[in-house]
Amino acid sequence: MVNRLLFLASVSFLSAACFAEQHPGAEAFARKAAGEHQLNQKDVLDMLGRAHFQQSIVDAISRPAEAKPWYQYRPIFLNKKHIDGGVAFWREHEARIATAAERFQVEPQIIVAIIGVETFYGRITGRYRVLDALATLSFHYPHIGRDRSEFFSSELMNFLLLGKEEGLPLEEVSGSYAGAMGLGQFMPSSYREYAVDLDEDGRRDLWSSMDDVVGSIANYLHRHGWKYGEPVVYPLSAAAEADMNLVAEQDFKPHHTVDELMRGGFTSSLEVDASRPVAVVKLEEEQAPRFWLTFNNFYVITRYNRSPLYAMAVYDLSEEIRRGMQR
């Protein structure tokens, strides 16, 4: 009996060591999961031991679509299939979309467009195991920078907690190369924080419950400050001597006034209060860059995805879908 116990203990030790070798930092992660979140340390190590490094995930995150210039990015989503698909999706789920839009005060076409850009209305929800994606990016991709590595480690922790809270089969859940899930592509922390049970069946299901899907997207935008009926973006002209220091590079939160932009060489035909906070975004066209006057709602879309290209694609697609619904 003693020999058997010693054997089992040695197997357990070797297994933990194997996991640590497979995923550098796994043991420290498991200790943190146990100490801060009361998860079973051995269960966490066992789960990580079944996570696989995927080189294709590293390759995919190294060449995101948002790295393209606007004139190449826009046609990915602004095309007949996405527009017609959005109209069909809206008509099929019109009542539940209207319920979510009314409850959270978000325009319905924006909800539909986000689903279109994220997953082509549920047709493309991701082919990677989320466990593999988050383990790969947490433990094997340090050159993305410490902040991003810590971000994915935090998302992996949230994924484990989400599995416990929602009863998800963690080894079976699939998503994007970054670990985003469901029709709205929520990261685990966003799933835990913003997903809603709009159909009131006791679960927050972002795959098969369209009520939960549209409600969760609307709630995400609402919680980040969406203002119903307010503008999103409008064309802007720039004089040759316009002050390019006014153009937003990373932070798209409105913090200039319209009056400041006018004095800086930018003009717009939109009549708006001169003291209103706005931002300027530059997008690359084939011939020359174009400038856009952006408002709080544009900034809110960038909370869903930090890229201004993404936010502009969502808005443009939403407008095309809205027009399609009127035909």
Side-chain angles (χ1 to χ4, degrees), residues 1 73 127 135 139 171 224 233 255 261 284-285 296 308 326:
M1 176 62 75
Y73 182 87
R127 63 184 180 85
F139 302 124
E171 292 183 65
H224 282 83
V233 61
H255 57 268
L261 299 188
E284 295 295 331
E285 300 285 3
N296 175 73
Q326 295 171 348

Side-chain angles (χ1 to χ4, degrees), residues 76-77 79-86 116-117 120-121 317 321:
I76 298 173
F77 306 107
N79 54 57
K80 182 174 173 55
K81 287 184 177 180
H82 275 81
I83 295 166
D84 291 350
V117 171
F120 195 21
Y121 312 106
L317 180 59
I321 294 169

Side-chain angles (χ1 to χ4, degrees), residues 6-32:
L6 288 173
F7 171 75
L8 292 173
S10 65
V11 168
S12 177
F13 174 80
L14 289 172
S15 297
C18 180
F19 298 156
E21 182 178 350
Q22 181 181 354
H23 301 305
E27 286 192 350
F29 179 91
R31 287 194 297 271
K32 182 176 182 179

Side-chain angles (χ1 to χ4, degrees), residues 133-165:
L134 293 177
T136 294
L137 297 173
S138 295
F139 302 124
H140 301 280
Y141 196 35
H143 58 283
I144 60 177
R146 179 178 175 182
D147 288 346
R148 293 191 70 192
S149 182
E150 289 179 354
F151 167 77
F152 286 112
S153 180
S154 175
E155 291 299 334
L156 177 58
M157 190 73 75
N158 274 290
F159 183 58
L160 299 182
L161 294 169
L162 182 65
K164 182 178 180 180
E165 294 163 357

Side-chain angles (χ1 to χ4, degrees), residues 3-199:
N3 287 338
R4 177 174 173 77
L5 290 174
L6 288 173
F7 171 75
L8 292 173
S10 65
V11 168
S12 177
F13 174 80
L14 289 172
S15 297
C18 180
F19 298 156
E21 182 178 350
Q22 181 181 354
H23 301 305
E27 286 192 350
F29 179 91
R31 287 194 297 271
K32 182 176 182 179
E36 296 184 9
H37 303 286
Q38 292 71 57
L39 296 176
N40 182 282
Q41 184 171 338
K42 184 180 182 302
D43 289 347
V44 172
L45 277 175
D46 286 345
M47 181 64 70
L48 294 180
R50 295 191 290 275
H52 304 295
F53 168 79
Q54 299 283 356
Q55 182 61 45
S56 59
I57 291 170
V58 174
D59 295 340
I61 204 168
S62 299
R63 53 172 192 275
E66 287 79 10
K68 297 176 181 290
W70 171 241
Y71 64 87
Q72 292 180 356
Y73 182 87
R74 187 179 190 275
I76 298 173
F77 306 107
L78 270 293
N79 54 57
K80 182 174 173 55
K81 287 184 177 180
H82 275 81
I83 295 166
D84 291 350
V87 172
F89 182 89
W90 192 348
R91 287 178 175 156
E92 180 181 356
H93 303 290
E94 193 162 1
R96 53 177 52 98
I97 291 170
T99 297
E102 174 64 26
R103 178 174 299 186
F104 297 105
Q105 288 295 286
V106 175
E107 281 77 358
Q109 66 267 23
I110 294 291
I111 300 171
V112 175
I114 284 177
I115 298 172
V117 171
E118 291 289 351
T119 62
F120 195 21
Y121 312 106
R123 293 177 178 85
I124 307 170
T125 57
R127 63 184 180 85
Y128 298 96
R129 285 203 315 165
V130 171
L131 181 63
D132 292 343
L134 293 177
T136 294
L137 297 173
S138 295
F139 302 124
H140 301 280
Y141 196 35
H143 58 283
I144 60 177
R146 179 178 175 182
D147 288 346
R148 293 191 70 192
S149 182
E150 289 179 354
F151 167 77
F152 286 112
S153 180
S154 175
E155 291 299 334
L156 177 58
M157 190 73 75
N158 274 290
F159 183 58
L160 299 182
L161 294 169
L162 182 65
K164 182 178 180 180
E165 294 163 357
E166 298 291 334
L168 295 180
L170 296 184
E171 292 183 65
E172 301 173 19
V173 176
S174 61
S176 76
Y177 61 79
M181 300 171 285
L183 272 71
Q185 293 290 275
F186 275 36
M187 293 297 288
S189 61
S190 292
Y191 199 131
R192 295 184 69 212
E193 180 68 21
Y194 303 109
V196 296
D197 178 20
L198 200 63
D199 62 10

